[in-house]
Amino acid sequence: MLMRVVAGPDEGAPNFAMRIFEIQPQSSTPYHSHAWEHEVFVISGQGAVTGAEGQKQLGEGDAIFVASNEQHCFANTGDGLLRLVCVVPLISGRLPGSPS
Amino acid sequence: MLMRVVAGPDEGAPNFAMRIFEIQPQSSTPYHSHAWEHEVFVISGQGAVTGAEGQKQLGEGDAIFVASNEQHCFANTGDGLLRLVCVVPLISGRLPGSPS
């Protein structure tokens, strides 16, 4: 999996950061939760999101809101890359989960 | 131009909203500024962004940070739709610019 921050503190972003994820076929993000939300847009590929409401299929153009503290994972169920835009809030001006 | 909120207050978003813009060929958003930032990702199409640093060409996969109070506009310079993800902060829990 590849993650790239395309707008964040380094660009002067004050409130939230935009990251691009590329998930390889048959791969998945860990099933986990954290104290911040995600707003996700599917750029390309086929996948599935698992969250509090169960599993949903994903394709290009779909958008997903993952609430803070909601268990979730994103899986690539297709043959090509699954590419996502994933936006997270900044916490004290930093990317969440980064060393303080 | 078409704008669609895909993650915002109606979905329970607490901090920022994700919108999708579709700009027709040879069309542009107004050249304007406002007191909130944009984080933008180009889903598809060809265009140009004009901001404080001048004009830059845009294509699929590009990301743009527009600072609060920066004059800016997005133009479609191609033959197909210019499709953008554009994220804005919520202000008092509402979409910026919406009636209070």
Side-chain angles (χ1 to χ4, degrees), chain B residues 27-96:
Chain B
S27 293
S28 171
T29 62
Y31 188 59
H32 69 167
S33 68
H34 40 64
W36 54 89
E37 73 275 21
H38 287 320
E39 296 182 17
V40 173
F41 180 85
V42 181
I43 308 166
S44 62
Q46 294 292 323
V49 59
T50 304
E53 297 162 26
Q55 190 173 80
K56 289 186 186 166
Q57 299 307 305
L58 294 179
E60 183 177 335
D62 286 338
I64 307 101
F65 176 71
V66 178
S68 58
N69 299 309
E70 180 179 353
Q71 291 273 346
H72 64 282
C73 69
F74 289 89
N76 185 341
T77 60
D79 296 325
L81 277 181
L82 176 63
R83 295 166 64 226
L84 310 171
V85 176
C86 177
V87 185
V88 292
L90 298 181
I91 297 176
S92 301
R94 296 167 192 261
L95 290 165

